[in-house]
Amino acid sequence: SQLPSWGLPIVATDDERVLFSHIRAKPRRELIAVRSHCFDMADMLVSVCRRQGYAAVWLDPLHPPRVDGPAAVLWEGNPRGFDDLRAVRGRYPQIPLLALLDFPRWEDVERAKQIGAASVLAKPLSLDDLFGRLVDILNSSYSNKNSPSLDVA
């Protein structure tokens, strides 16, 4: 039997409530690669992705694992880290990339999209927004792979 969310302690954070509410997530086959220079942030993102039923792995900047074929990349950082965003985009050029930026300005969002981010979310963020956007870019990626592309000059 599962406790309802109101069974959580009063001191439970919003993140803990979201994690608890998604315990019965259906397993998915998609692999989500998480890139962050902050271990705590990477650990949280990998954990919530797994709670949502995704397979998830941290692309540690110091000791990056060899990850082939992720369905999407979650890149977390700030505008000073756009060189790293560019490097991740270069490593996974065909994979949708969702950028999570610290309090971005309009110019930062535009620059991230120019580098190749499919979408940009501002931090702090809602996990519901994160997974809603992730589903959107995954669905967009799958429909683009399965439909013929037209080049318009």
Side-chain angles (χ1 to χ4, degrees):
S1 160
Q2 187 177 8
L3 290 176
S5 62
W6 49 262
L8 291 172
I10 287 177
V11 295
T13 66
D14 287 343
D15 291 341
E16 290 168 328
R17 291 181 191 284
V18 169
L19 284 172
F20 188 84
S21 71
H22 293 91
I23 284 177
R24 293 185 184 188
K26 293 180 182 175
R28 294 181 168 95
R29 296 186 333 183
E30 296 97 350
L31 172 64
I32 307 301
V34 174
R35 176 62 162 236
S36 176
H37 286 270
C38 174
F39 172 78
D40 292 334
M41 189 63 164
D43 187 50
M44 185 276 294
L45 289 170
V46 167
S47 294
V48 296
C49 284
R50 288 178 180 163
R51 286 284 187 180
Q52 287 293 318
Y54 296 100
V57 63
W58 177 32
L59 301 175
D60 182 350
L62 298 177
H63 309 286
R66 172 96 175 131
V67 177
D68 291 324
V73 175
L74 293 181
W75 183 89
E76 183 275 327
N78 60 55
R80 293 185 308 272
F82 278 161
D83 287 338
D84 184 58
L85 177 62
R86 194 172 288 106
V88 171
R89 170 48 61 216
R91 175 133 174 104
Y92 301 105
Q94 302 301 319
I95 305 300
L97 191 146
L98 176 56
L100 311 176
L101 293 175
D102 296 328
F103 303 103
R105 297 178 308 210
W106 180 82
E107 303 86 36
D108 301 330
V109 172
E110 289 301 312
R111 191 161 163 226
K113 287 184 175 184
Q114 287 172 351
I115 292 171
S119 190
V120 178
L121 286 176
K123 295 186 329 187
L125 56 91
S126 156
L127 292 177
D128 289 334
D129 291 342
L130 170 67
F131 289 110
R133 193 71 58 91
L134 183 60
V135 167
D136 289 346
I137 67 170
L138 286 171
N139 289 340
S140 173
S141 171
Y142 291 136
S143 67
N144 289 342
K145 287 179 185 174
N146 295 325
S147 63
S149 62
L150 297 174
D151 292 330
V152 179

